[in-house]
Amino acid sequence: MSDASLVRTEKEGRIARIVMEAPPLNALTLPMLDQILAAYRAAAADDRVRAVILCSALEKVFCAGLDLKLLREEGQGGVRALLQKLYLDMLDVQHTMGKPTISAVSGAARGGGMTLSITCNVIVADESATFGYPELDNGLIPAIHFVHLPRVIGRHRAFDLLFSGRSFKAEEAERMGLVARVAPGRGALEAAMEMAENFARQPPGATRIAHAAFMRAQDMDFRREVADVTETFINVSQTEETQAGLAAFAEKRTPPWR
């Protein structure tokens, strides 16, 4: 698949849908992250757009996370470039968006797919959605979620999810407060569109000011803390243990610590 077809934007009335389409897993590469960021920036600059939805064109996957091949082959500089886009640039573009963003999760969201979701203002899922933080399984760390998740669901439940790597369904995610709404069947996008239309009815000037105020109130220290854990992720990614774990994942064999 060419880089040009990894992400597309669809507009319906006052709603912009940023659609990921990189089969089989929507694995995050540098080109794909560049295209997601560009789509967000274009939506932010378009006065006709009042709300933005991030979703997947794939039937069973929202986003499976980072392309682990990059973590094995690119070295520290490549990992830093990847996390700059996924963690810091994604936070910055959301912080300055000036209009609501919704993540519509259908199918599996893992690792970096969780990061894409939580940087949106709201997560909507459906009954097909599953979530998880499998980074430690591969010798990595779910760095940004050390900052985000305890604030949302509490430190003890966050520790369970982040250190076990277990997957969990949309119903549990909603009970914990990670997901705002669960739609029946595979209706995440439909529910997100309904929510986006409600957001779009609000006055755009007041919404822009309110969005900026909300982001400042909620995330004053968030970016700084994420920058700190980004350095930790980069350092961990270069250890022998992590490289062995990534090799085991790529070769579909048991990692050495098991």
Side-chain angles (χ1 to χ4, degrees):
M1 174 173 287
S2 67
D3 290 350
S5 61
L6 300 175
V7 176
R8 68 177 188 271
T9 298
E10 303 170 342
K11 293 182 182 178
E12 184 174 329
R14 298 171 292 186
I15 313 304
R17 291 190 297 267
I18 299 172
V19 185
M20 298 179 288
E21 190 172 22
L25 298 173
N26 281 339
L28 296 174
T29 61
L30 288 170
M32 186 168 180
L33 287 169
D34 281 336
Q35 290 179 40
I36 294 171
L37 288 166
Y40 273 132
R41 289 170 181 141
D46 189 341
D47 291 337
R48 296 166 298 179
V49 172
R50 301 283 185 86
V52 181
I53 297 172
L54 178 69
C55 60
S56 169
L58 307 186
E59 183 178 353
K60 296 182 179 180
V61 178
F62 174 76
C63 174
L66 296 175
D67 183 346
L68 297 185
K69 182 180 179 181
L70 289 175
L71 300 183
R72 293 183 64 197
E73 297 179 355
E74 293 297 321
Q76 192 174 56
V79 175
R80 184 179 298 279
L82 195 67
L83 293 190
Q84 173 68 41
K85 295 179 188 298
L86 177 60
Y87 283 5
L88 302 177
D89 293 351
M90 202 67 67
L91 285 176
D92 287 345
V93 76
Q94 292 278 3
H95 195 88
T96 58
M97 177 67 65
K99 54 196 74 174
T101 59
I102 304 167
S103 175
V105 179
S106 189
R110 300 288 188 275
M114 300 294 292
T115 302
L116 289 180
S117 292
I118 64 100
T119 51
C120 291
N121 297 133
V122 183
I123 303 175
V124 173
D126 61 31
E127 292 173 338
S128 77
T130 61
F131 304 88
Y133 306 90
E135 287 89 341
L136 272 173
D137 290 341
N138 299 307
L140 294 166
I141 62 170
I144 192 173
H145 303 285
F146 289 164
V147 180
H148 165 78
L149 197 60
R151 299 180 182 190
V152 177
I153 68 172
R155 64 183 295 181
H156 296 109
R157 281 189 291 190
F159 194 96
D160 167 30
L161 298 180
L162 296 171
F163 282 77
S164 70
R166 69 178 179 86
S167 63
F168 53 102
K169 295 181 179 180
E171 181 183 0
E172 182 178 359
E174 184 183 35
R175 285 201 310 269
M176 292 187 294
L178 183 62
V179 166
R181 186 180 303 176
V182 176
R186 299 188 60 86
L189 184 55
E190 182 180 351
M193 285 293 294
E194 180 183 350
M195 181 181 285
E197 288 291 356
N198 286 330
F199 291 150
R201 294 189 183 101
Q202 306 293 11
T207 297
R208 183 173 59 255
I209 294 169
H211 187 276
F214 182 90
M215 298 303 283
R216 289 195 305 270
Q218 303 301 318
D219 296 327
M220 288 293 287
D221 295 322
F222 189 57
R223 192 188 190 285
R224 176 184 58 79
E225 293 171 0
V226 169
D228 288 343
V229 295
T230 297
E231 293 301 317
T232 304
F233 186 107
I234 292 167
N235 293 333
V236 167
S237 73
Q238 303 306 301
T239 65
E240 291 184 9
E241 184 178 71
T242 294
Q243 291 298 313
L246 294 174
F249 178 84
E251 296 162 12
K252 295 181 172 55
R253 56 180 172 79
T254 303
W257 52 82
R258 292 184 185 172

